[in-house]
Amino acid sequence: MSRWHPEFVASLRELCGEGAVRTDDASLMAYENDGLGFHRYRPDCVVIPRTSDEVKEVVRRCFGQDFPYTIRAAGTSLSGGPVAAQGGLIVHVSRLRSILEINAEDMYCVAEPGVVLDTLNQALAPHGLFYPPDPSSGSASTIGGNVAENAGGIRCFRYGVTANYVLGLEVILPSGEIAQLGGPAGGLGPSCGCDWKSLFVGSEGLLGVITKVWLRLKPLPEKIWTLLGTYAGVRPASETIVDLVHHPSVPVAIELMDNHVVRMLEASPMACGFDPTCWLLLVEVDGPSELVDRIADDIEEVFRRNGAITMEKTCDSEERLRLWRARKNTGGLLGQVTPDTMVQDACIPRSEFGDVMEALIAEAEKRGIMVVSVFHAGDGNLHPNFLFDGSHPDEKKKVEEIGTFLMEMVVERGGTLSGEHGIGNDKLKYIPLVFGEREIAFQKALLACFNPDNQLNPEKLFPHRSYVGCCAPPAS
Ligand SMILES: Cc1cc2nc3c(=O)[nH]c(=O)nc-3n(C[C@H](O)[C@H](O)[C@H](O)COP(=O)(O)OP(=O)(O)OC[C@H]3O[C@@H](n4cnc5c(N)ncnc54)[C@H](O)[C@@H]3O)c2cc1C
C-alpha cells in the first residue's frame, strides 16, 4: 500500500491497471530527470494511462487534490520540463501512440500525442508526404512533446518549426474541460478568428494536456543533396553560415559541428572520414531535380568563397542517412570523454555568431571547462555542451556560472534564452533578463486562467511559480 495518497493511488490502479501505477523507488528514479540531467526531482507516483479516455479521467481526478502533477512524454526535453519539481504525480502519456488519420488528399494527419516523430514519418512516406520539423531526438521524442516545446530541428531553417504545422489541438484543461482548438481546415494563418491553438504551442505543459493533434503535411521532395564543408576554425565557418542564410535558394538545413565533436565522431563507430581537426558544416537542399542540382553547385561556391578546406556532396539516400545519423547521435558521443554534460540553448542574431562563440570558448577555458558545440546554426541556435565532473561541486558551480555568462551575453547582443529547448525549470532564473515585471505579470495572469493554482507543472517558466498548498516542500 502506497504511503503517498493511498486512496488516490488505489483509484488510479483501478482505472489504469495495477502495473500502470508506480510508487516503488526503482520506477520513480527513472522519472527524476529529463534529457538534461542537471537537476533531479523524484516524483511520488507515476501513472501510465493506456488510452486518451484514461488520461482525461486522471486529469479530472487530479482537480481539487492536494498535490501537483506534471505531464511527461518521451522525457527527452533538455530544459527540465517534464520533471516533478515539487514532487507529486507524473502522468506519462507515451502510450497514446495511435496515428488516427492520414488524409493524403488534403495533406494533413491526426495523431495522438505519444506518436514518435520518426514513426509518423515512416507512416507518411508511402503516401508521398512528410512532416518537416525534425528535432535530432526524432527517434524518441513525441508529437505532443514537440508541440508543447514548439520543437525546432534540422530542416527548420527552410520549413519552419512545429508551430508552422499545427492545424488543431484537442486539450484537456486542469479543470477537466475538454476543448478542440482548430482542426483539419486552415490555411497558413489563423483559420477562424483568434488563433487559440497557438497558445498551447510552446506552452511547456503548463496550460493543459494535449490529447490529439492535427498536423499539416508537405509533399516529399523530388531530390535532396547533402553537402559538407570543412573549415579551419569558427570564423570561416560562421562567415559561411551568414552567407548561406542570405542565399536565395534558402537551404533546408545549415548545421555546425565544432572540431571537438568532429574528433569524437571520427573516434567512434560512426566515423565518416572527416579531418578530425576541422570544423564542419552540414547543409541540405531539396526540390525539383534539375533545379536542386544547380542549387547544390551554388552552395559549393559559397563554401569555396569562404575558405572551405574540403567539400563533398551526396544525393545517395543511404549515404545521406549515414551522415545525418552521425549528426543526430553526436550527443551520445560526449559520454566517451566526460562523466557529465550540460547542454545550454540560446538563440542569437546570426551575425553575432563568431563573436559570441569566441567569447564563450574563452570564458569556458578560463574556468577550465571544456565546451563543445553542435547545432542548427541556420536558425541562430547556440547549443554549447559543457563537459564536467558532477562529483566535484566546484565544477557544477563553474558550469552554472558559464551558463549565466552565456545568457547575459546573448541577451545583451539581441538574442534570447532559448532557440528550441524551452525554459523549463533550468532557465527560469534568467526570465527577468528578457521580461520586465509588467510582462511577467501579464503572462502569469494568462496562465492563471488555465492553471490558477499552478497544480499542473509548477516551478517552471517563471521564478516562484509554486503550487501553493502542496504537501511537498517547495523546490530549492
Ligand atoms: C539527443 C537530443 C536531441 C535533441 N534535439 C532537439 C532538436 O533538434 N530540436 C528541439 O527542438 N529539441 C531537441 N531536443 C529536445 C527534446 O527532444 C524536445 O524538447 C522534444 O520536443 C521533447 O519531446 P518529448 O516527447 O521527449 O517530451 P518530454 O520531454 O516528455 O516533455 C517536454 C515538455 O512537454 C510537456 N508535454 C509533453 N507531452 C505533453 C502533452 N501531451 N500535453 C501537454 N504537455 C506535454 C511536458 O510537460 C514537458 O514540459 C533534443 C533532445 C535530445 C535528448
Side-chain angles (χ1 to χ4, degrees), residues 70-78 81-82 93 113 134-137 141-142 144-146 148-149 151-153 204-205 208-210 376 420-421 457:
T70 299
I71 308 305
R72 183 175 178 108
T76 66
S77 148
L78 292 173
V93 295
D134 61 339
S136 307
S137 56
S141 71
T142 66
N146 279 214
E149 295 288 346
E204 300 198 13
V209 187
I210 298 160
H376 319 307
E420 55 180 18
H421 296 167
N457 215 356

PDB file of all heavy atoms in Angstrom, residues 70-78 81-82 93 113 134-137 141-142 144-146 148-149 151-153 204-205 208-210 376 420-421 457, ligand 1:
ATOM      1  N   THR A  70       2.472  16.573 -13.270  1.00  0.00           N
ATOM      2  CA  THR A  70       3.263  17.007 -14.429  1.00  0.00           C
ATOM      3  C   THR A  70       3.086  15.983 -15.540  1.00  0.00           C
ATOM      4  O   THR A  70       3.076  14.781 -15.266  1.00  0.00           O
ATOM      5  CB  THR A  70       4.761  17.086 -14.021  1.00  0.00           C
ATOM      6  OG1 THR A  70       4.872  18.050 -12.968  1.00  0.00           O
ATOM      7  CG2 THR A  70       5.644  17.514 -15.176  1.00  0.00           C
ATOM      8  N   ILE A  71       2.966  16.489 -16.769  1.00  0.00           N
ATOM      9  CA  ILE A  71       2.819  15.582 -17.923  1.00  0.00           C
ATOM     10  C   ILE A  71       4.207  15.245 -18.441  1.00  0.00           C
ATOM     11  O   ILE A  71       5.078  16.102 -18.519  1.00  0.00           O
ATOM     12  CB  ILE A  71       1.992  16.257 -19.048  1.00  0.00           C
ATOM     13  CG1 ILE A  71       0.676  16.807 -18.508  1.00  0.00           C
ATOM     14  CG2 ILE A  71       1.746  15.281 -20.203  1.00  0.00           C
ATOM     15  CD1 ILE A  71      -0.187  15.805 -17.777  1.00  0.00           C
ATOM     16  N   ARG A  72       4.364  13.998 -18.804  1.00  0.00           N
ATOM     17  CA  ARG A  72       5.643  13.570 -19.384  1.00  0.00           C
ATOM     18  C   ARG A  72       5.365  12.706 -20.597  1.00  0.00           C
ATOM     19  O   ARG A  72       4.454  11.871 -20.584  1.00  0.00           O
ATOM     20  CB  ARG A  72       6.430  12.763 -18.347  1.00  0.00           C
ATOM     21  CG  ARG A  72       7.805  12.324 -18.837  1.00  0.00           C
ATOM     22  CD  ARG A  72       8.522  11.650 -17.699  1.00  0.00           C
ATOM     23  NE  ARG A  72       9.816  11.144 -18.057  1.00  0.00           N
ATOM     24  CZ  ARG A  72      10.960  11.684 -17.662  1.00  0.00           C
ATOM     25  NH1 ARG A  72      10.970  12.761 -16.918  1.00  0.00           N
ATOM     26  NH2 ARG A  72      12.107  11.139 -17.994  1.00  0.00           N
ATOM     27  N   ALA A  73       6.173  12.930 -21.647  1.00  0.00           N
ATOM     28  CA  ALA A  73       6.061  12.063 -22.832  1.00  0.00           C
ATOM     29  C   ALA A  73       7.345  11.243 -22.903  1.00  0.00           C
ATOM     30  O   ALA A  73       7.592  10.444 -22.003  1.00  0.00           O
ATOM     31  CB  ALA A  73       5.816  12.926 -24.061  1.00  0.00           C
ATOM     32  N   ALA A  74       8.220  11.480 -23.912  1.00  0.00           N
ATOM     33  CA  ALA A  74       9.427  10.656 -24.010  1.00  0.00           C
ATOM     34  C   ALA A  74      10.509  11.089 -23.016  1.00  0.00           C
ATOM     35  O   ALA A  74      11.507  10.389 -22.853  1.00  0.00           O
ATOM     36  CB  ALA A  74       9.973  10.700 -25.429  1.00  0.00           C
ATOM     37  N   GLY A  75      10.351  12.262 -22.419  1.00  0.00           N
ATOM     38  CA  GLY A  75      11.338  12.718 -21.435  1.00  0.00           C
ATOM     39  C   GLY A  75      12.653  13.179 -22.051  1.00  0.00           C
ATOM     40  O   GLY A  75      13.669  13.247 -21.368  1.00  0.00           O
ATOM     41  N   THR A  76      12.646  13.542 -23.351  1.00  0.00           N
ATOM     42  CA  THR A  76      13.895  13.980 -23.995  1.00  0.00           C
ATOM     43  C   THR A  76      14.133  15.486 -23.857  1.00  0.00           C
ATOM     44  O   THR A  76      15.129  15.995 -24.376  1.00  0.00           O
ATOM     45  CB  THR A  76      13.919  13.628 -25.501  1.00  0.00           C
ATOM     46  OG1 THR A  76      12.903  14.397 -26.164  1.00  0.00           O
ATOM     47  CG2 THR A  76      13.702  12.151 -25.750  1.00  0.00           C
ATOM     48  N   SER A  77      13.222  16.179 -23.197  1.00  0.00           N
ATOM     49  CA  SER A  77      13.373  17.626 -23.024  1.00  0.00           C
ATOM     50  C   SER A  77      14.762  17.953 -22.475  1.00  0.00           C
ATOM     51  O   SER A  77      15.333  17.188 -21.698  1.00  0.00           O
ATOM     52  CB  SER A  77      12.298  18.116 -22.038  1.00  0.00           C
ATOM     53  OG  SER A  77      12.759  19.202 -21.286  1.00  0.00           O
ATOM     54  N   LEU A  78      15.300  19.078 -22.892  1.00  0.00           N
ATOM     55  CA  LEU A  78      16.638  19.472 -22.431  1.00  0.00           C
ATOM     56  C   LEU A  78      16.589  20.747 -21.581  1.00  0.00           C
ATOM     57  O   LEU A  78      17.564  21.477 -21.511  1.00  0.00           O
ATOM     58  CB  LEU A  78      17.565  19.666 -23.646  1.00  0.00           C
ATOM     59  CG  LEU A  78      17.910  18.378 -24.405  1.00  0.00           C
ATOM     60  CD1 LEU A  78      18.692  18.674 -25.681  1.00  0.00           C
ATOM     61  CD2 LEU A  78      18.702  17.409 -23.538  1.00  0.00           C
ATOM     62  N   GLY A  81      11.744  20.200 -18.214  1.00  0.00           N
ATOM     63  CA  GLY A  81      10.302  20.442 -18.326  1.00  0.00           C
ATOM     64  C   GLY A  81       9.444  19.354 -17.705  1.00  0.00           C
ATOM     65  O   GLY A  81       8.589  19.639 -16.855  1.00  0.00           O
ATOM     66  N   PRO A  82       9.658  18.080 -18.085  1.00  0.00           N
ATOM     67  CA  PRO A  82       8.738  17.028 -17.632  1.00  0.00           C
ATOM     68  C   PRO A  82       9.146  16.416 -16.300  1.00  0.00           C
ATOM     69  O   PRO A  82       9.051  15.207 -16.108  1.00  0.00           O
ATOM     70  CB  PRO A  82       8.839  15.993 -18.761  1.00  0.00           C
ATOM     71  CG  PRO A  82      10.244  16.141 -19.253  1.00  0.00           C
ATOM     72  CD  PRO A  82      10.654  17.568 -19.051  1.00  0.00           C
ATOM     73  N   VAL A  93       2.352  10.058 -20.828  1.00  0.00           N
ATOM     74  CA  VAL A  93       1.347   9.886 -21.900  1.00  0.00           C
ATOM     75  C   VAL A  93       1.887   9.158 -23.138  1.00  0.00           C
ATOM     76  O   VAL A  93       1.237   9.161 -24.189  1.00  0.00           O
ATOM     77  CB  VAL A  93       0.754  11.262 -22.310  1.00  0.00           C
ATOM     78  CG1 VAL A  93      -0.019  11.881 -21.158  1.00  0.00           C
ATOM     79  CG2 VAL A  93       1.827  12.233 -22.797  1.00  0.00           C
ATOM     80  N   PRO A 113      -0.890  12.211 -28.910  1.00  0.00           N
ATOM     81  CA  PRO A 113       0.322  12.966 -28.566  1.00  0.00           C
ATOM     82  C   PRO A 113       1.574  12.114 -28.404  1.00  0.00           C
ATOM     83  O   PRO A 113       2.683  12.602 -28.573  1.00  0.00           O
ATOM     84  CB  PRO A 113      -0.045  13.638 -27.236  1.00  0.00           C
ATOM     85  CG  PRO A 113      -1.132  12.806 -26.657  1.00  0.00           C
ATOM     86  CD  PRO A 113      -1.897  12.291 -27.833  1.00  0.00           C
ATOM     87  N   ASP A 134      12.090  18.363 -37.612  1.00  0.00           N
ATOM     88  CA  ASP A 134      12.793  17.127 -37.236  1.00  0.00           C
ATOM     89  C   ASP A 134      13.877  17.367 -36.196  1.00  0.00           C
ATOM     90  O   ASP A 134      15.064  17.421 -36.494  1.00  0.00           O
ATOM     91  CB  ASP A 134      13.388  16.441 -38.475  1.00  0.00           C
ATOM     92  CG  ASP A 134      14.397  17.331 -39.179  1.00  0.00           C
ATOM     93  OD1 ASP A 134      14.349  18.553 -38.967  1.00  0.00           O
ATOM     94  OD2 ASP A 134      15.242  16.795 -39.901  1.00  0.00           O
ATOM     95  N   PRO A 135      13.457  17.493 -34.921  1.00  0.00           N
ATOM     96  CA  PRO A 135      14.477  17.574 -33.878  1.00  0.00           C
ATOM     97  C   PRO A 135      15.388  16.343 -33.940  1.00  0.00           C
ATOM     98  O   PRO A 135      14.943  15.273 -34.372  1.00  0.00           O
ATOM     99  CB  PRO A 135      13.661  17.598 -32.584  1.00  0.00           C
ATOM    100  CG  PRO A 135      12.298  17.136 -32.942  1.00  0.00           C
ATOM    101  CD  PRO A 135      12.095  17.480 -34.381  1.00  0.00           C
ATOM    102  N   SER A 136      16.622  16.515 -33.507  1.00  0.00           N
ATOM    103  CA  SER A 136      17.575  15.389 -33.578  1.00  0.00           C
ATOM    104  C   SER A 136      17.130  14.227 -32.704  1.00  0.00           C
ATOM    105  O   SER A 136      17.666  13.135 -32.804  1.00  0.00           O
ATOM    106  CB  SER A 136      18.962  15.850 -33.147  1.00  0.00           C
ATOM    107  OG  SER A 136      19.335  16.971 -33.884  1.00  0.00           O
ATOM    108  N   SER A 137      16.167  14.456 -31.829  1.00  0.00           N
ATOM    109  CA  SER A 137      15.633  13.406 -30.963  1.00  0.00           C
ATOM    110  C   SER A 137      14.464  12.677 -31.627  1.00  0.00           C
ATOM    111  O   SER A 137      13.709  11.985 -30.941  1.00  0.00           O
ATOM    112  CB  SER A 137      15.123  14.047 -29.667  1.00  0.00           C
ATOM    113  OG  SER A 137      14.153  15.055 -29.991  1.00  0.00           O
ATOM    114  N   SER A 141      11.436  11.338 -29.465  1.00  0.00           N
ATOM    115  CA  SER A 141      10.522  12.375 -28.961  1.00  0.00           C
ATOM    116  C   SER A 141       9.163  12.286 -29.656  1.00  0.00           C
ATOM    117  O   SER A 141       9.040  11.766 -30.768  1.00  0.00           O
ATOM    118  CB  SER A 141      11.129  13.770 -29.085  1.00  0.00           C
ATOM    119  OG  SER A 141      11.194  14.195 -30.413  1.00  0.00           O
ATOM    120  N   THR A 142       8.148  12.811 -28.993  1.00  0.00           N
ATOM    121  CA  THR A 142       6.766  12.603 -29.424  1.00  0.00           C
ATOM    122  C   THR A 142       6.155  13.883 -29.997  1.00  0.00           C
ATOM    123  O   THR A 142       6.628  14.995 -29.721  1.00  0.00           O
ATOM    124  CB  THR A 142       5.893  12.194 -28.216  1.00  0.00           C
ATOM    125  OG1 THR A 142       5.836  13.310 -27.305  1.00  0.00           O
ATOM    126  CG2 THR A 142       6.461  10.986 -27.487  1.00  0.00           C
ATOM    127  N   GLY A 144       3.322  15.218 -29.116  1.00  0.00           N
ATOM    128  CA  GLY A 144       2.816  16.048 -28.011  1.00  0.00           C
ATOM    129  C   GLY A 144       3.936  16.846 -27.357  1.00  0.00           C
ATOM    130  O   GLY A 144       3.798  18.048 -27.094  1.00  0.00           O
ATOM    131  N   GLY A 145       5.079  16.181 -27.113  1.00  0.00           N
ATOM    132  CA  GLY A 145       6.230  16.864 -26.516  1.00  0.00           C
ATOM    133  C   GLY A 145       6.754  17.944 -27.454  1.00  0.00           C
ATOM    134  O   GLY A 145       7.165  19.024 -27.019  1.00  0.00           O
ATOM    135  N   ASN A 146       6.742  17.651 -28.756  1.00  0.00           N
ATOM    136  CA  ASN A 146       7.211  18.641 -29.747  1.00  0.00           C
ATOM    137  C   ASN A 146       6.299  19.858 -29.790  1.00  0.00           C
ATOM    138  O   ASN A 146       6.748  20.992 -29.888  1.00  0.00           O
ATOM    139  CB  ASN A 146       7.287  18.028 -31.152  1.00  0.00           C
ATOM    140  CG  ASN A 146       8.544  17.210 -31.380  1.00  0.00           C
ATOM    141  OD1 ASN A 146       9.080  17.166 -32.466  1.00  0.00           O
ATOM    142  ND2 ASN A 146       9.035  16.540 -30.350  1.00  0.00           N
ATOM    143  N   ALA A 148       4.341  20.853 -27.296  1.00  0.00           N
ATOM    144  CA  ALA A 148       4.477  21.555 -26.014  1.00  0.00           C
ATOM    145  C   ALA A 148       5.754  22.397 -25.953  1.00  0.00           C
ATOM    146  O   ALA A 148       5.804  23.411 -25.275  1.00  0.00           O
ATOM    147  CB  ALA A 148       4.442  20.563 -24.857  1.00  0.00           C
ATOM    148  N   GLU A 149       6.802  21.954 -26.684  1.00  0.00           N
ATOM    149  CA  GLU A 149       8.067  22.707 -26.663  1.00  0.00           C
ATOM    150  C   GLU A 149       8.249  23.558 -27.920  1.00  0.00           C
ATOM    151  O   GLU A 149       9.277  24.206 -28.076  1.00  0.00           O
ATOM    152  CB  GLU A 149       9.254  21.730 -26.553  1.00  0.00           C
ATOM    153  CG  GLU A 149       9.323  20.942 -25.258  1.00  0.00           C
ATOM    154  CD  GLU A 149       9.741  21.808 -24.075  1.00  0.00           C
ATOM    155  OE1 GLU A 149      10.222  22.929 -24.285  1.00  0.00           O
ATOM    156  OE2 GLU A 149       9.571  21.352 -22.931  1.00  0.00           O
ATOM    157  N   ALA A 151       9.050  22.471 -30.851  1.00  0.00           N
ATOM    158  CA  ALA A 151      10.377  21.972 -31.218  1.00  0.00           C
ATOM    159  C   ALA A 151      10.819  22.503 -32.574  1.00  0.00           C
ATOM    160  O   ALA A 151      10.029  22.675 -33.496  1.00  0.00           O
ATOM    161  CB  ALA A 151      10.363  20.444 -31.228  1.00  0.00           C
ATOM    162  N   GLY A 152      12.115  22.739 -32.660  1.00  0.00           N
ATOM    163  CA  GLY A 152      12.762  23.051 -33.935  1.00  0.00           C
ATOM    164  C   GLY A 152      13.474  21.805 -34.419  1.00  0.00           C
ATOM    165  O   GLY A 152      13.202  20.704 -33.940  1.00  0.00           O
ATOM    166  N   GLY A 153      14.400  21.969 -35.347  1.00  0.00           N
ATOM    167  CA  GLY A 153      15.122  20.798 -35.824  1.00  0.00           C
ATOM    168  C   GLY A 153      15.946  21.117 -37.044  1.00  0.00           C
ATOM    169  O   GLY A 153      16.054  22.274 -37.468  1.00  0.00           O
ATOM    170  N   GLU A 204       4.852  24.444 -22.905  1.00  0.00           N
ATOM    171  CA  GLU A 204       5.675  23.640 -21.982  1.00  0.00           C
ATOM    172  C   GLU A 204       4.857  22.878 -20.940  1.00  0.00           C
ATOM    173  O   GLU A 204       5.255  22.757 -19.777  1.00  0.00           O
ATOM    174  CB  GLU A 204       6.737  24.533 -21.301  1.00  0.00           C
ATOM    175  CG  GLU A 204       7.673  25.193 -22.300  1.00  0.00           C
ATOM    176  CD  GLU A 204       8.964  25.725 -21.688  1.00  0.00           C
ATOM    177  OE1 GLU A 204       9.256  25.375 -20.532  1.00  0.00           O
ATOM    178  OE2 GLU A 204       9.675  26.469 -22.369  1.00  0.00           O
ATOM    179  N   GLY A 205       3.677  22.425 -21.348  1.00  0.00           N
ATOM    180  CA  GLY A 205       2.884  21.591 -20.442  1.00  0.00           C
ATOM    181  C   GLY A 205       2.320  22.333 -19.256  1.00  0.00           C
ATOM    182  O   GLY A 205       2.055  21.739 -18.209  1.00  0.00           O
ATOM    183  N   GLY A 208      -2.442  22.853 -20.096  1.00  0.00           N
ATOM    184  CA  GLY A 208      -3.358  21.729 -20.170  1.00  0.00           C
ATOM    185  C   GLY A 208      -2.653  20.563 -20.825  1.00  0.00           C
ATOM    186  O   GLY A 208      -1.463  20.653 -21.157  1.00  0.00           O
ATOM    187  N   VAL A 209      -3.392  19.486 -21.041  1.00  0.00           N
ATOM    188  CA  VAL A 209      -2.792  18.287 -21.620  1.00  0.00           C
ATOM    189  C   VAL A 209      -3.281  18.147 -23.057  1.00  0.00           C
ATOM    190  O   VAL A 209      -4.495  18.145 -23.312  1.00  0.00           O
ATOM    191  CB  VAL A 209      -3.184  17.030 -20.812  1.00  0.00           C
ATOM    192  CG1 VAL A 209      -2.411  15.821 -21.337  1.00  0.00           C
ATOM    193  CG2 VAL A 209      -2.931  17.245 -19.334  1.00  0.00           C
ATOM    194  N   ILE A 210      -2.346  18.037 -23.992  1.00  0.00           N
ATOM    195  CA  ILE A 210      -2.688  17.858 -25.404  1.00  0.00           C
ATOM    196  C   ILE A 210      -3.047  16.383 -25.599  1.00  0.00           C
ATOM    197  O   ILE A 210      -2.248  15.497 -25.268  1.00  0.00           O
ATOM    198  CB  ILE A 210      -1.486  18.242 -26.284  1.00  0.00           C
ATOM    199  CG1 ILE A 210      -1.146  19.717 -26.069  1.00  0.00           C
ATOM    200  CG2 ILE A 210      -1.752  17.931 -27.750  1.00  0.00           C
ATOM    201  CD1 ILE A 210       0.258  20.097 -26.479  1.00  0.00           C
ATOM    202  N   HIS A 376      21.833  23.703 -34.863  1.00  0.00           N
ATOM    203  CA  HIS A 376      21.185  24.198 -36.084  1.00  0.00           C
ATOM    204  C   HIS A 376      21.597  25.663 -36.265  1.00  0.00           C
ATOM    205  O   HIS A 376      20.875  26.581 -35.861  1.00  0.00           O
ATOM    206  CB  HIS A 376      19.662  24.120 -35.968  1.00  0.00           C
ATOM    207  CG  HIS A 376      19.154  22.869 -35.304  1.00  0.00           C
ATOM    208  ND1 HIS A 376      19.521  21.615 -35.714  1.00  0.00           N
ATOM    209  CD2 HIS A 376      18.299  22.688 -34.267  1.00  0.00           C
ATOM    210  CE1 HIS A 376      18.924  20.722 -34.947  1.00  0.00           C
ATOM    211  NE2 HIS A 376      18.182  21.348 -34.063  1.00  0.00           N
ATOM    212  N   GLU A 420      15.142  26.516 -28.954  1.00  0.00           N
ATOM    213  CA  GLU A 420      14.152  25.472 -29.189  1.00  0.00           C
ATOM    214  C   GLU A 420      13.904  24.571 -27.979  1.00  0.00           C
ATOM    215  O   GLU A 420      12.921  23.847 -27.955  1.00  0.00           O
ATOM    216  CB  GLU A 420      14.575  24.600 -30.385  1.00  0.00           C
ATOM    217  CG  GLU A 420      15.980  24.022 -30.218  1.00  0.00           C
ATOM    218  CD  GLU A 420      16.438  23.170 -31.374  1.00  0.00           C
ATOM    219  OE1 GLU A 420      15.842  23.279 -32.447  1.00  0.00           O
ATOM    220  OE2 GLU A 420      17.379  22.382 -31.185  1.00  0.00           O
ATOM    221  N   HIS A 421      14.772  24.577 -26.988  1.00  0.00           N
ATOM    222  CA  HIS A 421      14.610  23.626 -25.870  1.00  0.00           C
ATOM    223  C   HIS A 421      13.672  24.123 -24.784  1.00  0.00           C
ATOM    224  O   HIS A 421      13.357  23.389 -23.864  1.00  0.00           O
ATOM    225  CB  HIS A 421      15.970  23.290 -25.231  1.00  0.00           C
ATOM    226  CG  HIS A 421      16.901  22.588 -26.163  1.00  0.00           C
ATOM    227  ND1 HIS A 421      18.237  22.433 -25.900  1.00  0.00           N
ATOM    228  CD2 HIS A 421      16.690  22.004 -27.371  1.00  0.00           C
ATOM    229  CE1 HIS A 421      18.805  21.788 -26.910  1.00  0.00           C
ATOM    230  NE2 HIS A 421      17.887  21.523 -27.805  1.00  0.00           N
ATOM    231  N   ASN A 457       2.307  21.217 -13.470  1.00  0.00           N
ATOM    232  CA  ASN A 457       3.693  21.577 -13.802  1.00  0.00           C
ATOM    233  C   ASN A 457       4.213  22.840 -13.096  1.00  0.00           C
ATOM    234  O   ASN A 457       4.626  23.809 -13.762  1.00  0.00           O
ATOM    235  CB  ASN A 457       3.818  21.726 -15.334  1.00  0.00           C
ATOM    236  CG  ASN A 457       5.186  21.248 -15.816  1.00  0.00           C
ATOM    237  OD1 ASN A 457       6.041  20.880 -15.018  1.00  0.00           O
ATOM    238  ND2 ASN A 457       5.388  21.271 -17.110  1.00  0.00           N
TER     239      ASN A 457
HETATM  240  C1  LIG B   1      19.632  13.927 -28.352  1.00  0.00           C
HETATM  241  C2  LIG B   1      18.601  15.017 -28.303  1.00  0.00           C
HETATM  242  C3  LIG B   1      18.458  15.852 -29.389  1.00  0.00           C
HETATM  243  C4  LIG B   1      17.500  16.886 -29.366  1.00  0.00           C
HETATM  244  N1  LIG B   1      17.360  17.680 -30.472  1.00  0.00           N
HETATM  245  C5  LIG B   1      16.419  18.632 -30.473  1.00  0.00           C
HETATM  246  C6  LIG B   1      16.245  19.451 -31.626  1.00  0.00           C
HETATM  247  O1  LIG B   1      16.935  19.299 -32.630  1.00  0.00           O
HETATM  248  N2  LIG B   1      15.265  20.393 -31.582  1.00  0.00           N
HETATM  249  C7  LIG B   1      14.462  20.567 -30.479  1.00  0.00           C
HETATM  250  O2  LIG B   1      13.574  21.431 -30.512  1.00  0.00           O
HETATM  251  N3  LIG B   1      14.632  19.813 -29.385  1.00  0.00           N
HETATM  252  C8  LIG B   1      15.566  18.848 -29.347  1.00  0.00           C
HETATM  253  N4  LIG B   1      15.722  18.071 -28.232  1.00  0.00           N
HETATM  254  C9  LIG B   1      14.858  18.315 -27.050  1.00  0.00           C
HETATM  255  C10 LIG B   1      13.569  17.461 -26.990  1.00  0.00           C
HETATM  256  O3  LIG B   1      13.685  16.310 -27.789  1.00  0.00           O
HETATM  257  C11 LIG B   1      12.362  18.280 -27.404  1.00  0.00           C
HETATM  258  O4  LIG B   1      12.130  19.320 -26.471  1.00  0.00           O
HETATM  259  C12 LIG B   1      11.073  17.460 -27.551  1.00  0.00           C
HETATM  260  O5  LIG B   1      10.079  18.304 -28.070  1.00  0.00           O
HETATM  261  C13 LIG B   1      10.579  16.826 -26.252  1.00  0.00           C
HETATM  262  O6  LIG B   1       9.604  15.845 -26.577  1.00  0.00           O
HETATM  263  P1  LIG B   1       9.286  14.648 -25.574  1.00  0.00           P
HETATM  264  O7  LIG B   1       8.280  13.790 -26.234  1.00  0.00           O
HETATM  265  O8  LIG B   1      10.528  13.986 -25.136  1.00  0.00           O
HETATM  266  O9  LIG B   1       8.610  15.448 -24.379  1.00  0.00           O
HETATM  267  P2  LIG B   1       9.006  15.482 -22.824  1.00  0.00           P
HETATM  268  O10 LIG B   1      10.473  15.725 -22.690  1.00  0.00           O
HETATM  269  O11 LIG B   1       8.469  14.307 -22.127  1.00  0.00           O
HETATM  270  O12 LIG B   1       8.198  16.763 -22.343  1.00  0.00           O
HETATM  271  C14 LIG B   1       8.579  18.046 -22.756  1.00  0.00           C
HETATM  272  C15 LIG B   1       7.563  19.078 -22.221  1.00  0.00           C
HETATM  273  O13 LIG B   1       6.337  18.893 -22.890  1.00  0.00           O
HETATM  274  C16 LIG B   1       5.286  18.677 -21.959  1.00  0.00           C
HETATM  275  N5  LIG B   1       4.384  17.695 -22.585  1.00  0.00           N
HETATM  276  C17 LIG B   1       4.723  16.508 -23.134  1.00  0.00           C
HETATM  277  N6  LIG B   1       3.635  15.917 -23.648  1.00  0.00           N
HETATM  278  C18 LIG B   1       2.591  16.750 -23.437  1.00  0.00           C
HETATM  279  C19 LIG B   1       1.201  16.694 -23.721  1.00  0.00           C
HETATM  280  N7  LIG B   1       0.644  15.659 -24.349  1.00  0.00           N
HETATM  281  N8  LIG B   1       0.421  17.740 -23.334  1.00  0.00           N
HETATM  282  C20 LIG B   1       0.951  18.818 -22.694  1.00  0.00           C
HETATM  283  N9  LIG B   1       2.256  18.901 -22.393  1.00  0.00           N
HETATM  284  C21 LIG B   1       3.073  17.885 -22.757  1.00  0.00           C
HETATM  285  C22 LIG B   1       5.948  18.194 -20.684  1.00  0.00           C
HETATM  286  O14 LIG B   1       5.190  18.531 -19.536  1.00  0.00           O
HETATM  287  C23 LIG B   1       7.270  18.951 -20.743  1.00  0.00           C
HETATM  288  O15 LIG B   1       7.116  20.234 -20.183  1.00  0.00           O
HETATM  289  C24 LIG B   1      16.677  17.055 -28.219  1.00  0.00           C
HETATM  290  C25 LIG B   1      16.819  16.197 -27.128  1.00  0.00           C
HETATM  291  C26 LIG B   1      17.771  15.192 -27.160  1.00  0.00           C
HETATM  292  C27 LIG B   1      17.893  14.285 -25.968  1.00  0.00           C
END
